[in-house]
Structures are given as structure tokens and as C-alpha cells.
Amino acid sequence: MLFGAFFFALDLLMQNTFVLYGANGYSGELIARFAAAYGLTPILAGRNKKVIKAMADRFSLPFRIASLEDAGALREMLKDQRIVVNAAGPYDITAPPMIRACLDTGAHYVDLNGDSDVFELLQRNSDEAIAANIMILPGAGFDVVPTDCLAYWLKQQLPDASHLELAFVILGSGLSRGTAITTLQKLGMPGAIRREGKLVPEPVGRRGRWIDFPAWHKKSFMMSIPWGDISTAYFSTGIPNIITYTGVSKGLWLFLKGQGLYNSLLRTPLMHRIIRRIINSRAPGPPDRVREKAMSLVWGWVTNPSGQTLTARMKCPEAYTLTAHSVLLVAVKVLAGNFKAGYQTPASAYGAGLVLEIDGVVRDSTPVSGSG
């Protein structure tokens, strides 16, 4: 009787824990700070014991240390846990060994990736994940929860949609140090769009346009970029033609139009070292007072072969704030047994309404219209 009560209590405790790898990064720390509001206790994890232990002491949380190069240590880190949130990028480097450990231990995998190439890479693990009855869910933060959910909703409203465009702009805050370094790895590389179901190279900023957010009195200039949705929205919706945009100044867009002249320079190790030094000299990410005042706006548009169109917009919290909440929301669902085995996107796992479960998210749409 006593042993049964003990193991029941232990099981309940385990329902509320998850491994947070890369906890000492900007997004990782936000997730750790917000976790208690969701009734969760993160186990802080990473490779640097000194840094992780100091953070664990500060938050009074448990911690574990494992290097991504040590497969045995990763398995030991996960062996009694049901989910790991990987907040350590770049994900083309960190995701494969972590997913291998998840497949070996039966832990679900969630991360904050936003790189379309990585999404494509991780889909290859789907069959193994199904066999292991675990979910692989990359992109559980601002990259790509709002855009993926909006794309999924648009597809539900216009089921025969053949073209999808998505855009976002973050107003009032900047990139975290980790995101900036991940972006650095892509400097000088070609962009892409989805055309007839295939990823097609296209220069970053090849397309530019203005987008209105009338409900929030904003108008933003957008340029095309290879946002993760050229992979994830295709997986979620099956729409074969997808273009993604982000908000920039028109001056920057015009500068990038000439990128073919200096892309080779941007790819050099010397240029990467110079830019990394500049990034590391700055704050890890926007302070609380900036995040609390900032917001993000998301736009989506679909059309079908008959020329019918539908446009939708969303107002969301600041990107890093939304990331912390969306990851924790997903963790709660997984720990409650609410998951789909195999590779998933946020919308394929939890539907278009996932993002609306986050406080401060508002969706606005215009009715389906005829041609034009």
C-alpha cells in the first residue's frame, strides 16, 4: 500500500518535469522562468556545468549535464523523462544527436527551430519516431507556431488553395544573441520558395511588398525570406506554392537586392568572425521592459485555381515571449498524453487553434472573395 502510494506520487511528479536543454540561452531562460505558471518543473540541462549549475541554483531547479557529442550521457539525461525541449541551436548540429537519444529512450523531442533545411532534415526521422511512439515536433516557438497555425486555418477555410503567402513583422524588439548567431550561419546562402511542391532556390529579398494590418493601424514593408513555413506549412497543408516574408526597412531590402555582388564575402570565415564578435558584444536578448511593450504581427493569404482568395492577420505577443508560452503549452499537452507519433508541425499536431490558446493572440480575417 505504502509502496503503491509512493510510486503514484513519483509518477505524478514526473508528469510535471521535462528536460530543457540549452537552458542557459536567452529563450531557454525565459522558458525556465515561465514554467511554474504552467505547473511545470524544467530540469535545466546543457554542456557547461558551471553555467547550468549557477542557473539551477538561482531558480532552485534540478539540473543535468550532457554533451551532444556523448551519446551515452544524452541517453542518461533522458532515461526517466518523457520530453526534452531543445533550446540550443544551431539545430542542424544539435537536433540529430538529441533525436537519436530520444529514439533510444522513448522521450518526445521538441525544439525552437526555424530553418526550413532543418525541418526537411528532421522529417526523415518520422518512421523511426512512429515505431518508438514518440513525437518529433520542431518549430514549437515563434518559429513557426503563429504562421503554421494561420496557414492551417486558411487551408481549412479554402480547402483547394493552391498558393499560400505568409509574412510576419516583429515590432519593438530585436534578435537574441543565439538567434543572431544561427542567422549568421546562413549569411551569403541562397533563399528559397516552394513551387509546385518543390523547394526552389531564390535569392533572399527577391520579392518585396507592403502589407497592411488595418485593425492594428500598421503598414509594413516585407521582403521574401526562406522562413521555416516553406517546409512546415507544406507539411501541414499540402499547399504546393508557398512564399514567406518578413518585415524590414525598404532601404535594407534595396541593399540586399545587390547581394549577388558580395555573397561570396559574407560566406568567408573572416567576415563570420567579425560579425560574431559584434553579436557577442551585445546583450543576450531584449530586456523584459522591451518585450512587454513589443508585439508581432502575422499575415497570411491563400488563393485557389478559381481565383478565390482569403486573407487573415494575427496580433501576437513579442516573439520570444510567445516562444516561451507556446513551448510550455506544448509540453503540458505532451505530458498529458496528447501527442501524435512521428514528425509533426505545431498545427498538424494540435490544429489551427493552438496559437489562440496563448494570451494576447488575436486573429482577424476577411471573407473569401472572387478573383482579384
Side-chain angles (χ1 to χ4, degrees):
M1 185 75 171
L2 289 175
F3 281 110
F6 170 79
F7 285 115
F8 178 74
L10 180 61
D11 184 64
L12 285 179
L13 177 61
M14 287 181 61
Q15 302 297 313
N16 297 326
T17 63
F18 67 96
V19 175
L20 177 58
Y21 195 83
N24 55 302
Y26 181 79
S27 293
E29 183 169 334
L30 276 184
I31 294 166
R33 284 170 52 190
F34 293 178
Y38 288 80
L40 299 178
T41 300
I43 299 172
L44 308 184
R47 66 174 69 206
N48 188 324
K49 183 175 181 178
K50 181 179 179 181
V51 172
I52 295 294
K53 184 179 184 305
M55 183 178 173
D57 291 343
R58 180 156 51 96
F59 287 107
S60 298
L61 290 171
F63 73 96
R64 296 178 183 180
I65 304 301
S67 168
L68 290 162
E69 289 76 35
D70 188 337
L74 289 177
R75 289 194 295 269
E76 182 68 20
M77 180 181 74
L78 298 178
K79 69 177 183 179
D80 58 351
Q81 294 299 305
R82 295 173 58 193
I83 177 174
V84 59
V85 171
N86 181 13
Y91 293 98
D92 57 338
I93 296 172
T94 66
M98 189 66 76
I99 287 176
R100 183 71 263 161
C102 288
L103 291 168
D104 291 343
T105 60
H108 302 282
Y109 175 86
V110 175
D111 75 23
L112 315 181
N113 174 59
D115 186 333
S116 58
D117 291 338
V118 178
F119 288 120
E120 294 290 303
L121 173 69
L122 300 191
Q123 287 184 45
R124 301 172 193 170
N125 297 283
S126 190
D127 289 344
E128 277 193 273
I130 291 171
N133 196 34
I134 67 168
M135 182 168 69
I136 295 174
L137 180 63
F142 187 81
D143 316 10
V144 291
V145 169
T147 43
D148 191 47
C149 289
L150 191 61
Y152 194 86
W153 183 83
L154 286 164
K155 171 68 173 181
Q156 289 177 318
Q157 311 311 305
L158 198 63
D160 63 341
S162 57
H163 291 73
L164 166 69
E165 295 188 9
L166 295 164
F168 70 94
V169 60
I170 301 169
L171 304 173
S173 73
L175 298 177
S176 75
R177 186 184 294 163
T179 301
I181 290 174
T182 299
T183 303
L184 170 63
Q185 313 304 318
K186 293 292 184 179
L187 280 181
M189 303 297 287
I193 61 172
R194 178 80 60 174
R195 181 183 297 150
E196 299 303 327
K198 304 294 185 182
L199 288 174
V200 178
E202 181 178 283
V204 173
R206 169 81 175 273
R207 304 161 194 262
R209 59 176 300 166
W210 289 95
I211 291 178
D212 283 316
F213 295 89
W216 300 292
H217 310 291
K218 298 290 180 184
K219 185 176 183 179
S220 295
F221 187 80
M222 305 281 183
M223 75 171 188
S224 56
I225 61 165
W227 192 243
D229 291 276
I230 61 173
S231 175
T232 53
Y234 180 63
F235 183 92
S236 302
T237 69
I239 297 174
N241 300 286
I242 303 172
I243 302 172
T244 53
Y245 298 83
T246 190
V248 297
S249 70
K250 194 169 184 180
L252 175 60
W253 176 66
L254 291 171
F255 173 75
L256 288 173
K257 294 286 280 185
Q259 64 189 284
L261 301 174
Y262 47 79
N263 271 350
S264 58
L265 174 63
L266 292 176
R267 288 194 291 266
T268 62
L270 174 61
M271 184 59 67
H272 277 217
R273 285 196 298 272
I274 292 171
I275 297 174
R276 183 183 287 268
R277 193 174 298 123
I278 294 171
I279 292 170
N280 286 333
S281 70
R282 297 179 176 176
D288 289 351
R289 67 180 184 279
V290 172
R291 284 190 305 97
E292 290 164 3
K293 293 180 180 179
M295 67 176 172
S296 51
L297 301 175
V298 181
W299 172 91
W301 171 90
V302 286
T303 187
N304 65 9
S306 301
Q308 291 180 299
T309 65
L310 176 64
T311 301
R313 300 169 178 84
M314 288 197 305
K315 178 184 176 184
C316 305
E318 183 273 338
Y320 293 104
T321 302
L322 186 142
T323 290
H325 287 297
S326 61
V327 165
L328 290 164
L329 182 61
V330 167
V332 168
K333 293 178 184 295
V334 173
L335 289 170
N338 180 3
F339 67 90
K340 292 182 180 179
Y343 173 90
Q344 301 293 335
T345 68
S348 73
Y350 299 114
L354 174 66
V355 70
L356 297 179
E357 295 183 48
I358 300 170
D359 286 346
V361 176
V362 180
R363 186 175 64 210
D364 167 62
S365 65
T366 56
V368 174
S369 64
S371 180

Short mmCIF file of all heavy atoms in Angstrom, two decimals, residues 18-32 42-47 52 55 68 77-78 83-95 98 108-114 137-141 143 176-179 181-182 284 320 323-324 327-328:
data_model
loop_
_atom_site.label_atom_id
_atom_site.label_comp_id
_atom_site.label_asym_id
_atom_site.label_seq_id
_atom_site.Cartn_x
_atom_site.Cartn_y
_atom_site.Cartn_z
N PHE A 18 10.31 18.16 -17.32
CA PHE A 18 10.83 17.95 -18.67
C PHE A 18 12.27 18.46 -18.71
O PHE A 18 12.65 19.31 -17.90
CB PHE A 18 9.98 18.67 -19.73
CG PHE A 18 10.04 20.18 -19.66
CD1 PHE A 18 10.91 20.89 -20.47
CD2 PHE A 18 9.22 20.88 -18.78
CE1 PHE A 18 10.97 22.28 -20.41
CE2 PHE A 18 9.26 22.27 -18.72
CZ PHE A 18 10.15 22.97 -19.53
N VAL A 19 13.05 17.92 -19.62
CA VAL A 19 14.43 18.37 -19.77
C VAL A 19 14.46 19.59 -20.68
O VAL A 19 13.89 19.57 -21.78
CB VAL A 19 15.32 17.25 -20.34
CG1 VAL A 19 16.73 17.77 -20.62
CG2 VAL A 19 15.37 16.07 -19.39
N LEU A 20 15.11 20.63 -20.23
CA LEU A 20 15.27 21.86 -21.01
C LEU A 20 16.74 22.00 -21.38
O LEU A 20 17.55 22.46 -20.58
CB LEU A 20 14.79 23.07 -20.20
CG LEU A 20 14.96 24.45 -20.84
CD1 LEU A 20 14.23 24.53 -22.19
CD2 LEU A 20 14.44 25.54 -19.89
N TYR A 21 17.08 21.56 -22.58
CA TYR A 21 18.48 21.58 -23.00
C TYR A 21 18.80 22.93 -23.65
O TYR A 21 18.03 23.45 -24.44
CB TYR A 21 18.76 20.45 -23.99
CG TYR A 21 20.24 20.20 -24.19
CD1 TYR A 21 20.95 19.40 -23.30
CD2 TYR A 21 20.93 20.79 -25.23
CE1 TYR A 21 22.30 19.18 -23.44
CE2 TYR A 21 22.29 20.57 -25.40
CZ TYR A 21 22.98 19.77 -24.51
OH TYR A 21 24.33 19.57 -24.65
N GLY A 22 19.97 23.48 -23.31
CA GLY A 22 20.28 24.84 -23.74
C GLY A 22 19.58 25.85 -22.85
O GLY A 22 19.24 26.95 -23.28
N ALA A 23 19.38 25.47 -21.58
CA ALA A 23 18.61 26.30 -20.65
C ALA A 23 19.25 27.65 -20.40
O ALA A 23 18.57 28.61 -20.04
CB ALA A 23 18.43 25.56 -19.32
N ASN A 24 20.56 27.75 -20.58
CA ASN A 24 21.26 28.99 -20.27
C ASN A 24 21.19 30.01 -21.40
O ASN A 24 21.66 31.14 -21.25
CB ASN A 24 22.73 28.70 -19.96
CG ASN A 24 23.43 27.94 -21.07
OD1 ASN A 24 22.99 26.85 -21.43
ND2 ASN A 24 24.50 28.49 -21.61
N GLY A 25 20.60 29.65 -22.53
CA GLY A 25 20.41 30.63 -23.60
C GLY A 25 19.27 31.57 -23.29
O GLY A 25 18.53 31.39 -22.32
N TYR A 26 19.10 32.58 -24.11
CA TYR A 26 18.07 33.61 -23.85
C TYR A 26 16.68 32.99 -23.82
O TYR A 26 15.91 33.19 -22.87
CB TYR A 26 18.15 34.70 -24.91
CG TYR A 26 17.14 35.81 -24.68
CD1 TYR A 26 17.37 36.79 -23.73
CD2 TYR A 26 15.95 35.84 -25.39
CE1 TYR A 26 16.44 37.79 -23.50
CE2 TYR A 26 15.01 36.84 -25.17
CZ TYR A 26 15.26 37.82 -24.22
OH TYR A 26 14.33 38.79 -24.00
N SER A 27 16.32 32.23 -24.85
CA SER A 27 14.99 31.61 -24.87
C SER A 27 14.86 30.56 -23.78
O SER A 27 13.80 30.43 -23.16
CB SER A 27 14.73 30.98 -26.24
OG SER A 27 14.61 31.97 -27.24
N GLY A 28 15.93 29.79 -23.55
CA GLY A 28 15.89 28.77 -22.51
C GLY A 28 15.60 29.36 -21.15
O GLY A 28 14.80 28.81 -20.37
N GLU A 29 16.22 30.49 -20.84
CA GLU A 29 15.98 31.11 -19.54
C GLU A 29 14.54 31.61 -19.42
O GLU A 29 13.92 31.49 -18.36
CB GLU A 29 16.95 32.27 -19.31
CG GLU A 29 16.80 32.89 -17.94
CD GLU A 29 17.91 33.86 -17.59
OE1 GLU A 29 19.02 33.70 -18.12
OE2 GLU A 29 17.66 34.76 -16.76
N LEU A 30 13.99 32.16 -20.50
CA LEU A 30 12.59 32.60 -20.46
C LEU A 30 11.66 31.41 -20.21
O LEU A 30 10.71 31.50 -19.43
CB LEU A 30 12.20 33.26 -21.78
CG LEU A 30 12.54 34.74 -21.98
CD1 LEU A 30 11.97 35.21 -23.32
CD2 LEU A 30 12.01 35.60 -20.85
N ILE A 31 11.92 30.30 -20.88
CA ILE A 31 11.10 29.10 -20.67
C ILE A 31 11.17 28.65 -19.22
O ILE A 31 10.15 28.32 -18.60
CB ILE A 31 11.55 27.98 -21.63
CG1 ILE A 31 11.26 28.37 -23.08
CG2 ILE A 31 10.85 26.67 -21.29
CD1 ILE A 31 11.95 27.50 -24.11
N ALA A 32 12.37 28.66 -18.66
CA ALA A 32 12.54 28.26 -17.26
C ALA A 32 11.78 29.19 -16.32
O ALA A 32 11.15 28.76 -15.35
CB ALA A 32 14.03 28.23 -16.90
N PRO A 42 11.09 22.47 -15.04
CA PRO A 42 12.11 22.07 -16.01
C PRO A 42 13.37 21.57 -15.31
O PRO A 42 13.77 22.08 -14.26
CB PRO A 42 12.39 23.37 -16.76
CG PRO A 42 12.05 24.46 -15.79
CD PRO A 42 10.92 23.92 -14.96
N ILE A 43 13.98 20.55 -15.90
CA ILE A 43 15.30 20.11 -15.47
C ILE A 43 16.28 20.81 -16.39
O ILE A 43 16.35 20.52 -17.59
CB ILE A 43 15.44 18.58 -15.58
CG1 ILE A 43 14.42 17.88 -14.68
CG2 ILE A 43 16.86 18.14 -15.23
CD1 ILE A 43 14.36 16.38 -14.87
N LEU A 44 17.01 21.76 -15.86
CA LEU A 44 17.91 22.57 -16.68
C LEU A 44 19.07 21.70 -17.15
O LEU A 44 19.66 20.95 -16.38
CB LEU A 44 18.44 23.76 -15.88
CG LEU A 44 17.36 24.62 -15.19
CD1 LEU A 44 18.01 25.82 -14.52
CD2 LEU A 44 16.29 25.06 -16.18
N ALA A 45 19.40 21.82 -18.42
CA ALA A 45 20.43 20.95 -18.98
C ALA A 45 21.26 21.69 -20.02
O ALA A 45 20.81 22.65 -20.65
CB ALA A 45 19.80 19.71 -19.60
N GLY A 46 22.47 21.21 -20.19
CA GLY A 46 23.40 21.77 -21.16
C GLY A 46 24.74 21.10 -21.01
O GLY A 46 24.89 20.11 -20.30
N ARG A 47 25.74 21.66 -21.68
CA ARG A 47 27.07 21.04 -21.64
C ARG A 47 28.01 21.72 -20.64
O ARG A 47 29.01 21.13 -20.24
CB ARG A 47 27.70 21.06 -23.03
CG ARG A 47 28.01 22.45 -23.56
CD ARG A 47 28.77 22.37 -24.87
NE ARG A 47 27.94 21.86 -25.95
CZ ARG A 47 28.42 21.23 -27.00
NH1 ARG A 47 29.70 20.99 -27.11
NH2 ARG A 47 27.61 20.83 -27.96
N ILE A 52 25.26 26.05 -16.06
CA ILE A 52 23.96 25.43 -15.80
C ILE A 52 23.69 25.32 -14.30
O ILE A 52 22.58 25.59 -13.82
CB ILE A 52 23.88 24.04 -16.46
CG1 ILE A 52 23.93 24.17 -17.98
CG2 ILE A 52 22.61 23.30 -16.03
CD1 ILE A 52 22.75 24.86 -18.61
N MET A 55 22.70 28.65 -12.84
CA MET A 55 21.31 28.98 -13.18
C MET A 55 20.35 28.14 -12.35
O MET A 55 19.32 28.64 -11.86
CB MET A 55 21.09 28.73 -14.67
CG MET A 55 19.69 29.10 -15.15
SD MET A 55 19.52 28.82 -16.93
CE MET A 55 17.75 29.13 -17.11
N LEU A 68 26.52 17.04 -26.42
CA LEU A 68 25.87 16.47 -27.60
C LEU A 68 26.77 15.45 -28.30
O LEU A 68 26.28 14.62 -29.07
CB LEU A 68 25.51 17.59 -28.58
CG LEU A 68 24.37 18.51 -28.12
CD1 LEU A 68 24.37 19.80 -28.90
CD2 LEU A 68 23.03 17.80 -28.25
N MET A 77 20.69 11.38 -19.55
CA MET A 77 19.96 12.61 -19.25
C MET A 77 18.46 12.43 -19.46
O MET A 77 17.63 13.00 -18.73
CB MET A 77 20.48 13.74 -20.13
CG MET A 77 19.80 15.08 -19.93
SD MET A 77 20.47 16.35 -21.05
CE MET A 77 19.75 15.84 -22.61
N LEU A 78 18.08 11.60 -20.44
CA LEU A 78 16.67 11.48 -20.83
C LEU A 78 15.98 10.23 -20.30
O LEU A 78 14.76 10.10 -20.44
CB LEU A 78 16.56 11.47 -22.36
CG LEU A 78 17.04 12.71 -23.11
CD1 LEU A 78 16.89 12.50 -24.61
CD2 LEU A 78 16.30 13.95 -22.68
N ILE A 83 9.94 14.02 -22.13
CA ILE A 83 10.08 15.05 -23.17
C ILE A 83 11.33 15.87 -22.94
O ILE A 83 11.69 16.16 -21.80
CB ILE A 83 8.82 15.97 -23.20
CG1 ILE A 83 8.98 17.09 -24.24
CG2 ILE A 83 8.52 16.53 -21.84
CD1 ILE A 83 7.73 17.93 -24.42
N VAL A 84 12.00 16.23 -24.03
CA VAL A 84 13.09 17.19 -23.98
C VAL A 84 12.72 18.36 -24.89
O VAL A 84 12.22 18.18 -26.00
CB VAL A 84 14.44 16.58 -24.43
CG1 VAL A 84 14.38 16.03 -25.84
CG2 VAL A 84 15.56 17.62 -24.31
N VAL A 85 12.93 19.57 -24.38
CA VAL A 85 12.82 20.78 -25.18
C VAL A 85 14.24 21.22 -25.49
O VAL A 85 15.01 21.58 -24.60
CB VAL A 85 12.06 21.89 -24.42
CG1 VAL A 85 12.15 23.21 -25.19
CG2 VAL A 85 10.62 21.50 -24.20
N ASN A 86 14.59 21.17 -26.76
CA ASN A 86 15.93 21.56 -27.19
C ASN A 86 15.92 23.04 -27.56
O ASN A 86 15.36 23.43 -28.58
CB ASN A 86 16.36 20.72 -28.38
CG ASN A 86 17.76 21.06 -28.87
OD1 ASN A 86 18.51 21.77 -28.18
ND2 ASN A 86 18.12 20.57 -30.04
N ALA A 87 16.53 23.86 -26.71
CA ALA A 87 16.61 25.30 -26.96
C ALA A 87 18.01 25.72 -27.37
O ALA A 87 18.36 26.89 -27.30
CB ALA A 87 16.18 26.07 -25.70
N ALA A 88 18.81 24.77 -27.80
CA ALA A 88 20.20 25.04 -28.18
C ALA A 88 20.37 24.90 -29.68
O ALA A 88 20.26 23.81 -30.23
CB ALA A 88 21.13 24.08 -27.45
N GLY A 89 20.63 26.00 -30.35
CA GLY A 89 20.92 25.95 -31.77
C GLY A 89 22.42 26.04 -32.00
O GLY A 89 23.18 26.16 -31.03
N PRO A 90 22.86 25.97 -33.25
CA PRO A 90 22.09 25.76 -34.48
C PRO A 90 21.54 24.33 -34.53
O PRO A 90 22.26 23.38 -34.24
CB PRO A 90 23.09 26.01 -35.60
CG PRO A 90 24.26 26.71 -34.95
CD PRO A 90 24.29 26.22 -33.54
N TYR A 91 20.31 24.20 -34.99
CA TYR A 91 19.60 22.92 -34.87
C TYR A 91 20.07 21.88 -35.88
O TYR A 91 19.85 20.69 -35.67
CB TYR A 91 18.10 23.16 -34.94
CG TYR A 91 17.62 23.93 -33.74
CD1 TYR A 91 17.42 25.30 -33.80
CD2 TYR A 91 17.43 23.29 -32.52
CE1 TYR A 91 17.02 26.02 -32.67
CE2 TYR A 91 17.03 23.99 -31.39
CZ TYR A 91 16.84 25.36 -31.47
OH TYR A 91 16.47 26.07 -30.36
N ASP A 92 20.72 22.30 -36.95
CA ASP A 92 21.27 21.30 -37.86
C ASP A 92 22.39 20.52 -37.17
O ASP A 92 22.69 19.38 -37.55
CB ASP A 92 21.76 21.93 -39.16
CG ASP A 92 22.82 23.01 -38.94
OD1 ASP A 92 22.89 23.57 -37.83
OD2 ASP A 92 23.57 23.30 -39.89
N ILE A 93 22.98 21.11 -36.13
CA ILE A 93 24.03 20.46 -35.36
C ILE A 93 23.47 19.77 -34.13
O ILE A 93 23.82 18.63 -33.81
CB ILE A 93 25.11 21.48 -34.95
CG1 ILE A 93 25.81 22.03 -36.20
CG2 ILE A 93 26.12 20.85 -33.99
CD1 ILE A 93 26.75 23.18 -35.91
N THR A 94 22.57 20.43 -33.41
CA THR A 94 22.11 19.92 -32.12
C THR A 94 20.96 18.92 -32.21
O THR A 94 20.82 18.04 -31.37
CB THR A 94 21.68 21.06 -31.19
OG1 THR A 94 20.51 21.71 -31.73
CG2 THR A 94 22.80 22.09 -31.04
N ALA A 95 20.10 19.05 -33.23
CA ALA A 95 18.92 18.19 -33.29
C ALA A 95 19.23 16.72 -33.57
O ALA A 95 18.68 15.84 -32.89
CB ALA A 95 17.93 18.73 -34.32
N MET A 98 20.36 14.71 -30.46
CA MET A 98 19.32 14.71 -29.43
C MET A 98 18.16 13.80 -29.84
O MET A 98 17.60 13.06 -29.01
CB MET A 98 18.82 16.12 -29.17
CG MET A 98 17.90 16.24 -27.97
SD MET A 98 18.74 15.89 -26.40
CE MET A 98 19.67 17.43 -26.19
N HIS A 108 9.92 12.29 -26.04
CA HIS A 108 9.47 13.15 -27.13
C HIS A 108 10.46 14.28 -27.34
O HIS A 108 11.09 14.77 -26.38
CB HIS A 108 8.09 13.73 -26.82
CG HIS A 108 7.04 12.69 -26.58
ND1 HIS A 108 6.43 12.00 -27.61
CD2 HIS A 108 6.50 12.21 -25.43
CE1 HIS A 108 5.55 11.15 -27.10
NE2 HIS A 108 5.58 11.25 -25.78
N TYR A 109 10.56 14.74 -28.59
CA TYR A 109 11.51 15.81 -28.94
C TYR A 109 10.76 17.05 -29.40
O TYR A 109 9.91 16.98 -30.31
CB TYR A 109 12.44 15.35 -30.06
CG TYR A 109 13.37 16.44 -30.56
CD1 TYR A 109 14.59 16.68 -29.93
CD2 TYR A 109 13.01 17.25 -31.64
CE1 TYR A 109 15.43 17.69 -30.38
CE2 TYR A 109 13.84 18.26 -32.10
CZ TYR A 109 15.06 18.47 -31.46
OH TYR A 109 15.89 19.49 -31.89
N VAL A 110 11.09 18.20 -28.80
CA VAL A 110 10.50 19.50 -29.17
C VAL A 110 11.65 20.50 -29.27
O VAL A 110 12.57 20.47 -28.45
CB VAL A 110 9.49 19.97 -28.10
CG1 VAL A 110 8.98 21.37 -28.41
CG2 VAL A 110 8.31 18.99 -28.01
N ASP A 111 11.62 21.38 -30.27
CA ASP A 111 12.66 22.42 -30.33
C ASP A 111 12.09 23.73 -30.84
O ASP A 111 10.88 23.86 -31.09
CB ASP A 111 13.89 21.95 -31.11
CG ASP A 111 13.69 21.91 -32.63
OD1 ASP A 111 12.80 22.61 -33.16
OD2 ASP A 111 14.44 21.18 -33.31
N LEU A 112 12.98 24.72 -31.01
CA LEU A 112 12.59 26.07 -31.41
C LEU A 112 13.10 26.41 -32.81
O LEU A 112 13.19 27.58 -33.17
CB LEU A 112 13.18 27.10 -30.41
CG LEU A 112 13.05 26.78 -28.92
CD1 LEU A 112 13.64 27.91 -28.09
CD2 LEU A 112 11.59 26.56 -28.55
N ASN A 113 13.40 25.41 -33.60
CA ASN A 113 13.99 25.63 -34.92
C ASN A 113 13.10 26.49 -35.82
O ASN A 113 11.88 26.43 -35.73
CB ASN A 113 14.23 24.27 -35.59
CG ASN A 113 14.70 24.42 -37.01
OD1 ASN A 113 15.73 25.02 -37.26
ND2 ASN A 113 13.95 23.89 -37.95
N GLY A 114 13.76 27.24 -36.71
CA GLY A 114 13.02 27.99 -37.72
C GLY A 114 13.63 27.86 -39.10
O GLY A 114 13.24 28.56 -40.02
N LEU A 137 8.68 17.24 -32.78
CA LEU A 137 7.97 18.49 -33.08
C LEU A 137 8.95 19.67 -33.04
O LEU A 137 9.10 20.33 -32.01
CB LEU A 137 6.84 18.72 -32.08
CG LEU A 137 6.02 19.99 -32.27
CD1 LEU A 137 5.28 19.97 -33.60
CD2 LEU A 137 5.00 20.17 -31.15
N PRO A 138 9.64 19.93 -34.14
CA PRO A 138 10.46 21.13 -34.19
C PRO A 138 9.60 22.36 -34.47
O PRO A 138 8.45 22.24 -34.91
CB PRO A 138 11.40 20.84 -35.37
CG PRO A 138 10.59 19.95 -36.26
CD PRO A 138 9.70 19.13 -35.36
N GLY A 139 10.15 23.54 -34.20
CA GLY A 139 9.42 24.77 -34.52
C GLY A 139 8.29 25.08 -33.57
O GLY A 139 7.26 25.62 -33.98
N ALA A 140 8.48 24.80 -32.27
CA ALA A 140 7.41 25.00 -31.31
C ALA A 140 7.42 26.38 -30.67
O ALA A 140 6.72 26.62 -29.69
CB ALA A 140 7.48 23.93 -30.21
N GLY A 141 8.20 27.30 -31.24
CA GLY A 141 8.23 28.67 -30.73
C GLY A 141 7.61 29.63 -31.74
O GLY A 141 6.74 29.25 -32.54
N ASP A 143 9.00 30.62 -34.21
CA ASP A 143 9.31 29.84 -35.41
C ASP A 143 8.80 28.42 -35.14
O ASP A 143 9.45 27.69 -34.43
CB ASP A 143 10.81 29.73 -35.66
CG ASP A 143 11.60 31.02 -35.50
OD1 ASP A 143 11.05 32.01 -35.01
OD2 ASP A 143 12.78 31.00 -35.83
N SER A 176 17.64 37.75 -30.31
CA SER A 176 18.51 37.31 -29.22
C SER A 176 19.88 37.00 -29.80
O SER A 176 20.06 36.85 -31.01
CB SER A 176 17.95 36.05 -28.55
OG SER A 176 18.16 34.92 -29.37
N ARG A 177 20.88 36.88 -28.93
CA ARG A 177 22.23 36.57 -29.38
C ARG A 177 22.28 35.22 -30.09
O ARG A 177 22.89 35.06 -31.13
CB ARG A 177 23.18 36.58 -28.19
CG ARG A 177 24.65 36.41 -28.56
CD ARG A 177 25.49 36.32 -27.30
NE ARG A 177 25.48 37.58 -26.58
CZ ARG A 177 25.84 37.71 -25.30
NH1 ARG A 177 26.20 36.64 -24.61
NH2 ARG A 177 25.83 38.89 -24.70
N GLY A 178 21.58 34.23 -29.52
CA GLY A 178 21.58 32.90 -30.12
C GLY A 178 20.95 32.89 -31.50
O GLY A 178 21.47 32.25 -32.43
N THR A 179 19.82 33.59 -31.67
CA THR A 179 19.17 33.65 -32.97
C THR A 179 20.05 34.37 -33.98
O THR A 179 20.15 33.96 -35.14
CB THR A 179 17.82 34.37 -32.86
OG1 THR A 179 16.99 33.65 -31.94
CG2 THR A 179 17.12 34.45 -34.21
N ILE A 181 23.32 34.48 -34.00
CA ILE A 181 24.43 33.60 -34.38
C ILE A 181 23.95 32.53 -35.34
O ILE A 181 24.63 32.18 -36.31
CB ILE A 181 25.08 32.98 -33.13
CG1 ILE A 181 25.85 34.08 -32.35
CG2 ILE A 181 26.02 31.84 -33.50
CD1 ILE A 181 26.40 33.61 -31.03
N THR A 182 22.74 31.98 -35.09
CA THR A 182 22.18 30.99 -36.02
C THR A 182 21.97 31.62 -37.39
O THR A 182 22.26 31.00 -38.42
CB THR A 182 20.84 30.45 -35.47
OG1 THR A 182 21.09 29.81 -34.21
CG2 THR A 182 20.22 29.45 -36.43
N PRO A 284 22.28 39.54 -24.40
CA PRO A 284 21.79 38.25 -24.89
C PRO A 284 20.45 38.33 -25.62
O PRO A 284 20.16 37.51 -26.48
CB PRO A 284 21.66 37.41 -23.61
CG PRO A 284 22.60 38.05 -22.65
CD PRO A 284 22.58 39.51 -22.97
N TYR A 320 9.83 36.35 -28.52
CA TYR A 320 10.44 35.49 -27.51
C TYR A 320 9.46 35.15 -26.39
O TYR A 320 9.49 34.05 -25.84
CB TYR A 320 11.71 36.14 -26.96
CG TYR A 320 12.79 36.21 -28.00
CD1 TYR A 320 13.09 37.42 -28.63
CD2 TYR A 320 13.49 35.07 -28.38
CE1 TYR A 320 14.07 37.48 -29.61
CE2 TYR A 320 14.47 35.14 -29.37
CZ TYR A 320 14.76 36.35 -29.97
OH TYR A 320 15.71 36.41 -30.95
N THR A 323 7.31 32.48 -27.80
CA THR A 323 8.07 31.24 -27.83
C THR A 323 8.01 30.50 -26.50
O THR A 323 7.73 29.29 -26.45
CB THR A 323 9.53 31.51 -28.22
OG1 THR A 323 9.59 31.90 -29.60
CG2 THR A 323 10.41 30.28 -28.01
N ALA A 324 8.27 31.21 -25.41
CA ALA A 324 8.26 30.56 -24.10
C ALA A 324 6.89 29.98 -23.79
O ALA A 324 6.77 28.84 -23.32
CB ALA A 324 8.66 31.57 -23.02
N VAL A 327 6.00 26.86 -26.25
CA VAL A 327 6.75 25.65 -25.91
C VAL A 327 6.18 24.99 -24.65
O VAL A 327 6.01 23.77 -24.58
CB VAL A 327 8.24 25.97 -25.72
CG1 VAL A 327 8.97 24.84 -25.01
CG2 VAL A 327 8.90 26.25 -27.07
N LEU A 328 5.90 25.80 -23.66
CA LEU A 328 5.36 25.26 -22.40
C LEU A 328 3.96 24.70 -22.61
O LEU A 328 3.59 23.68 -22.01
CB LEU A 328 5.37 26.34 -21.33
CG LEU A 328 6.78 26.72 -20.85
CD1 LEU A 328 6.77 28.04 -20.09
CD2 LEU A 328 7.38 25.61 -19.99
#
